[in-house]
Structures are given as structure tokens and as C-alpha cells.
Amino acid sequence: MIRNDSALTLRTGLVATLILCAPVALADCAEQLQRLSTDLRGVALTETQKQTIGGMVDEARRYCWVHREEIAMVYVTKARNIAGIKPAVSDNDWETVPLESLERTPPPASTDPDNIKR
């Protein structure tokens, strides 16, 4: 039987593991693992979920370490799904930005007669 304070210790250990992996991993991996740890705070998880997520975080850290970021992100996404957390959206997620919003509109033509080229 697991007491409440041991569950808290497991959760604290999971969060600490996620925070400590940042210097070792690539920037994007570290950022995503950090976001996951932040998003996991306050989430009620069963022991099975904690163990499963902990294993996935370990796998993600290993893949980050060997510069296989895409596989690491698969593990981070699976961990988020198990915890019931929405996928993290990057501020610079250019794949979801419509191209039309990136196009610059030309400045309005000048109506000042002194600025018109002849």
C-alpha cells in the first residue's frame, strides 16, 4: 500500500528529473521536457500513469542525448496524452501559421505630389 507522502515524493522526483535533464538535452528537447514538467504540476495521476510517464520521460531524455529529437518528441507527446494534457504549442510553430499572414502588404502609394517620380 502506498501512502500519500510517497506519491508526493514520486511526483516531486518526476518533476525534478524533468528539470534536471534540461542542461543535458538539446535546446528544443529541453524546452519541451521543461514544458511537460510545468504542465504536470498539479495533475492528479495514478501510480500506473506516473510510472508510465516516468519511463517515457527517461526515453525522451535518452533520445535527446543522442540528438534524435523527433523520436524524443514522440515520447513527450505520448506522456502528455497519458496525463491528459494538451500538446504544447510552440510560439514559433511556423507549420500552423497560414502563409498569407506571413506575406507583407506593400505600403500604400504616396499621394503627395512632391514624392511622385516623374
Side-chain angles (χ1 to χ4, degrees), residues 37-99:
S37 71
T38 302
D39 292 344
L40 281 173
R41 290 184 186 139
V43 175
L45 299 171
T46 65
E47 287 303 313
T48 305
Q49 287 175 320
K50 289 176 190 175
Q51 291 176 357
T52 305
I53 290 171
M56 289 183 176
V57 168
D58 286 342
E59 288 298 315
R61 287 179 48 217
R62 285 185 193 116
Y63 282 108
C64 284
W65 181 256
V66 294
H67 305 283
R68 302 208 45 206
E69 194 171 293
E70 290 179 11
I71 298 172
M73 292 303 103
V74 169
Y75 281 103
V76 170
T77 301
K78 286 181 182 180
R80 287 181 162 282
N81 289 337
I82 290 171
I85 302 171
K86 292 181 182 179
V89 178
S90 175
D91 296 334
N92 296 323
D93 190 1
W94 297 111
E95 293 179 4
T96 60
V97 176
L99 290 176

